[in-house]
């Protein structure tokens, strides 16, 4: 097929050795994509050297070992690639020709690249708009003026390496996506990063050793949509400067040293869909600004120092309330969050992140009752209010939250009986009411037939399946059992006193 210009065989299960001879004869090919198959073998990029019209080449994530050197007299590239994708190809070296013969995108994630950044990109000025060298073994410091090497860069991903030192001060002013996560950077976030990068849409600096304020004062990132600064050592209060970033859709700043009364600093961000603040030291009451963010899908403020009541305005959030709501989170591999539900910690990324709707206020000092407005949130999949000081009876209207898969009410001061209406929660997989003051019979039927003893520990007044205590006569029982016992006793009394006629009492 010598006239073939485009060949895409990606995402299949083609196996065997790489078809070098066949590929080298596709003399008119412009776009060749063989990624995510089962091809194997050791090949050289010289296979493609004579394909003079080739513009995009993607052979990533097979079982190949790719030799990138192409500068010998017998193997000199006759093309200028727009895009080269060699992710997961056991590449050990970045060859100079890559930086001069590729004019748009270079994808090298998940390889065996080693050494300092400077030794791989020394004395070059590249036209690349995208560079992805994530998930490698690169180390050392980054040049402060990295923009001089890559003046046209729009997408830079250096995550999951071993880079250290301070964050670079100067980036391309056209940069839209920056991921430096899971390295060993230290020091503060440079002011220039948050003030001179007006095009920045995606910023991920999580998993480093950063200190100081979350954002320097007078920061301005007007186009920022996705912000990940979690798992570091940042301090100070919630940055009110984010009020200028009205396009924000995700904020994940969990596991830092942030403090202060959040209600004094949290701006109303109209497009915010995910807010994760867990593992900090925020205090005061839960801010009512949350109720004004109508598109919020996920709220995680667990492991802080919040006190007072759960706001009774939570049913203002349309995305939690309306089961027909169809909020939009872009489906891409860059967005992901860590979230604890069903008793375990999960990493949610696309496409699962699109469907997660959850509230976690666990491990605070909240008091009062569960507001009836919260039980109207029919679109919530996970609700966790554990490890607080909440009290009162468990509302039977929780049974209206039809999509609940995980409900954790443990380690509070709830009392009374378990409402039988909870049996109607047909999707409930994890249920925990341990260590409260509950009593009476455990409801029978539906998902309640699948829960084990751990769901009910620390409630000596509870009885029934699955507990060993089958019946506790001194404990109060749920209404369904109370009505049965009362009716039997009244009918028995009536027949005993009046043997000549039957008396039926209807309540």
């Amino acid at each position: 097929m010598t006239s073939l210009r485009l060949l895409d065989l990606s995402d299949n299960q083609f196996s065997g050795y790489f078809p070098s001879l066949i590929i080298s004869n596709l003399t008119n090919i412009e776009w060749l994509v063989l990624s995510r198959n089962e091809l194997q073998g050791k090949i050289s990029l010289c296979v493609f050297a004579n394909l003079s019209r080739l513009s995009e080449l993607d052979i990533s994530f097979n079982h190949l070992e790719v030799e990138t050197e192409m500068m010998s007299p017998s193997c000199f590239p006759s093309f200028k690639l727009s895009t080269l994708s060699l992710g997961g190809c056991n590449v050990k070296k970045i060859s100079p020709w890559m930086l001069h013969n590729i004019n748009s995108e270079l994808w090298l994630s998940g390889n065996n690249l080693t050494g300092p950044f400077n030794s791989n990109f020394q004395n070059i000025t590249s036209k690349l708009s995208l560079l992805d060298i994530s998930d490698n073994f690169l180390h050392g410091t980054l040049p402060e003026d990295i923009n001089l090497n890559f003046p046209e860069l729009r997408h830079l991903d250096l995550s999951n390496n071993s880079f250290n030192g301070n964050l670079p001060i100067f980036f391309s002013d056209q940069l839209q996506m920056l991921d430096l996560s899971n390295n060993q950077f230290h020091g503060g976030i440079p002011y220039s990063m948050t003030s001179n990068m007006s095009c920045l849409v995606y910023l991920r600096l999580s998993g480093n050793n950063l200190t100081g304020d979350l954002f320097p004062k007078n920061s301005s990132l007007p186009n920022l949509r996705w912000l990940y600064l979690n798992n570091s050592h940042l301090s100070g209060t919630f940055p009110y400067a984010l009020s200028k970033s009205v396009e924000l859709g995700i904020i994940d700043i969990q596991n830092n040293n942030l403090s202060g009364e959040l209600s004094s600093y949290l701006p109303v961000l109209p497009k915010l869909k995910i807010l994760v603040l867990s593992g900090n030291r925020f205090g005061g009451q839960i801010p009512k600004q949350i109720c004004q963010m109508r598109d919020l899908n996920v709220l995680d403020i667990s492991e802080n120092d919040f006190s007072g009541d759960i706001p009774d305005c939570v049913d203002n959030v349309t995305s939690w309330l309306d089961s027909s709501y169809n909020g939009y989170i872009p489906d891409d591999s860059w967005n992901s969050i860590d979230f604890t539900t069903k008793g375990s910690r999960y990493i949610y990324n696309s496409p699962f992140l699109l469907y997660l709707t959850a509230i976690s206020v666990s491990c605070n000092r909240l008091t009062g009752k569960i507001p009836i407005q919260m039980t109207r949130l029919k679109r919530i999949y996970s609700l966790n209010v554990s490890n607080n000081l909440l009290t009162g009876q468990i509302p039977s209207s929780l049974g209206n939250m039809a999509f609940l898969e995980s409900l954790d009410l443990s380690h509070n001061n709830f009392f009374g009986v378990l409402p039988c209406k909870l049996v109607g929660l047909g999707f409930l997989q994890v249920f925990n009411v341990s260590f409260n003051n509950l009593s009476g019979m455990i409801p029978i039927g539906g998902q309640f037939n699948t829960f084990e003893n751990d769901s009910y520990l620390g409630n000596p007044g509870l009885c029934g399946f699955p507990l060993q205590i089958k019946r506790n006569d001194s404990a109060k029982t749920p209404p369904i059992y109370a009505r049965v016992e009362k009716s039997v006793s009244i009918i028995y009394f009536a027949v005993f006193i009046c043997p000549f006629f039957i008396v039926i009492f209807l309540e």
Side-chain angles (χ1 to χ4, degrees):
M1 295 186 287
T2 55
S3 298
L4 193 64
R5 294 185 179 183
L6 187 154
L7 178 61
D8 186 350
L9 302 177
S10 61
D11 294 287
N12 283 284
Q13 297 179 17
F14 292 116
S15 59
Y17 286 96
F18 190 85
S20 300
L21 182 59
I22 295 174
I23 295 298
S24 62
N25 287 331
L26 299 177
T27 52
N28 281 299
I29 199 76
E30 298 174 8
W31 201 52
L32 179 60
V33 183
L34 305 175
S35 56
R36 293 177 296 277
N37 280 285
E38 304 295 328
L39 300 172
Q40 57 181 300
K42 184 175 182 178
I43 66 168
S44 169
L45 289 183
C46 291
V47 172
F48 311 97
N50 295 323
L51 305 180
S52 59
R53 298 190 176 185
L54 190 61
S55 174
E56 178 165 336
L57 173 61
D58 185 353
I59 56 175
S60 56
F61 302 107
N62 283 276
H63 303 291
L64 301 172
E65 183 176 343
V66 177
E67 170 58 54
T68 60
E69 190 60 60
M70 288 180 65
M71 298 301 289
S72 65
S74 60
C75 175
F76 192 86
S78 60
F79 51 72
K80 279 190 176 293
L81 288 175
S82 171
T83 300
L84 176 61
S85 300
L86 299 177
C89 286
N90 291 301
V91 174
K92 297 180 175 63
K93 182 180 179 182
I94 299 175
S95 298
W97 76 267
M98 290 182 175
L99 305 172
H100 297 288
N101 287 60
I102 302 171
N103 56 32
S104 185
E105 300 181 6
L106 178 58
W107 300 82
L108 293 172
S109 64
N111 281 291
N112 292 312
L113 300 175
T114 58
F117 183 88
N118 289 335
S119 66
N120 286 278
F121 299 97
Q122 194 169 17
N123 299 323
I124 61 102
T125 301
S126 171
K127 294 182 178 180
L128 285 175
S129 62
L130 182 151
L131 176 62
D132 184 347
I133 51 175
S134 60
D135 294 288
N136 279 284
F137 303 94
L138 298 165
H139 59 84
T141 59
L142 298 180
E144 287 189 353
D145 51 357
I146 193 173
N147 60 314
L148 298 180
N149 298 107
F150 303 97
E152 299 180 26
L153 209 59
R154 288 177 172 80
H155 177 130
L156 177 61
D157 190 347
L158 308 182
S159 62
N160 296 294
N161 282 282
S162 297
F163 293 119
N164 56 28
N166 293 320
L167 295 172
I169 296 176
F170 299 107
F171 289 93
S172 164
D173 56 7
Q174 303 177 62
L175 199 64
Q176 297 175 2
M177 187 274 189
L178 177 62
D179 190 344
L180 304 178
S181 62
N182 298 315
N183 281 283
Q184 298 169 20
F185 293 112
H186 55 76
I189 298 175
Y191 175 68
S192 57
M193 183 180 290
T194 59
S195 60
N196 297 330
M197 299 170 67
S198 59
C199 295
L200 199 63
V201 173
Y202 180 103
L203 178 62
R204 188 187 286 263
L205 304 177
S206 52
N208 284 288
N209 297 312
L210 302 176
T211 55
D213 288 343
L214 191 67
F215 269 14
K217 293 181 179 179
N218 301 320
S219 298
S220 178
L221 295 170
N223 291 301
L224 192 65
R225 295 182 184 178
W226 324 117
L227 176 62
Y228 298 89
L229 298 177
N230 50 296
N231 298 303
S232 201
H233 303 286
L234 296 165
S235 57
T237 60
F238 189 94
Y240 192 76
L242 289 180
S243 60
K244 304 171 187 176
S245 305
V246 295
E247 298 295 321
L248 270 168
I250 294 178
I251 298 176
D252 185 351
I253 53 177
Q254 63 182 310
N255 299 325
N256 279 286
N257 295 317
L258 303 170
S259 59
E261 292 197 7
L262 187 62
S263 57
S264 302
Y265 301 99
L266 183 67
V268 175
L269 298 166
K271 297 184 180 181
L272 194 65
K273 292 176 173 60
I274 295 175
L275 179 61
V276 183
L277 308 178
S278 58
N280 283 285
R281 293 184 288 115
F282 290 119
Q285 294 193 328
I286 297 175
K288 292 190 176 181
Q289 294 95 306
I290 288 168
C291 302
Q292 300 178 53
M293 303 187 211
R294 304 296 179 87
D295 287 344
L296 203 59
N297 280 4
V298 177
L299 173 66
D300 186 355
I301 56 172
S302 60
E303 299 180 54
N304 278 282
D305 196 32
F306 291 106
S307 57
D309 296 341
I310 297 173
D312 57 8
C313 58
V314 289
D315 58 346
N316 288 342
V317 181
T318 308
S319 57
W320 292 339
L321 183 67
D322 186 359
S323 58
S324 63
Y325 176 83
N326 187 23
Y328 174 68
I329 298 177
D331 183 7
D332 59 59
S333 59
W334 302 337
N335 287 318
S336 62
I337 62 166
D338 293 355
F339 184 74
T340 298
T341 182
K342 302 178 184 178
S344 300
R345 194 153 189 85
Y346 298 94
I347 297 176
Y348 284 87
N349 48 30
S350 297
F352 303 105
L353 188 59
L354 303 176
Y355 307 105
L356 179 64
T357 50
I359 298 175
S360 179
V361 296
S362 66
C363 301
N364 284 284
R365 295 186 296 114
L366 300 175
T367 54
K369 300 178 180 180
I370 294 178
I372 196 68
Q373 291 85 349
M374 177 171 276
T375 68
R376 296 173 183 165
L377 307 181
K378 295 182 180 180
R379 196 170 171 264
I380 293 290
Y381 289 87
S382 176
L383 176 60
N384 188 346
V385 300
S386 65
N387 292 278
N388 280 287
L389 303 171
L390 297 172
T391 187
Q393 295 189 340
I394 295 175
S396 63
S397 50
L398 281 173
N400 296 329
M401 301 176 71
F403 293 106
L404 270 181
E405 296 179 1
S406 178
L407 177 59
D408 193 343
L409 309 174
S410 64
H411 294 273
N412 279 287
N413 297 316
F414 295 119
F415 57 82
V417 298
L418 280 171
C420 292
K421 194 172 181 179
L422 298 181
V423 173
L425 296 174
F427 294 102
L428 197 61
Q429 298 176 21
V430 174
F431 179 64
N432 192 349
V433 291
S434 60
F435 299 99
N436 282 285
N437 297 310
L438 301 172
S439 58
M441 292 288 288
I442 296 170
I444 298 173
Q447 293 295 97
F448 275 75
N449 291 347
T450 67
F451 304 138
E452 300 182 354
N453 286 18
D454 291 350
S455 295
Y456 309 104
L457 293 175
N459 294 282
L462 280 179
C463 54
F465 180 84
L467 301 178
Q468 296 298 320
I469 305 171
K470 300 304 180 186
R471 176 67 180 273
N472 186 345
D473 291 329
S474 63
K476 292 183 179 180
T477 54
I480 184 171
Y481 296 100
R483 284 198 296 270
V484 170
E485 291 178 350
K486 187 174 181 181
S487 299
V488 170
S489 62
I490 290 174
I491 292 173
Y492 174 80
F493 177 79
V495 172
F496 180 78
I497 299 297
C498 308
F500 301 107
F501 57 91
I502 297 175
V503 179
I504 298 177
F505 291 84
L506 298 177
E507 298 182 353

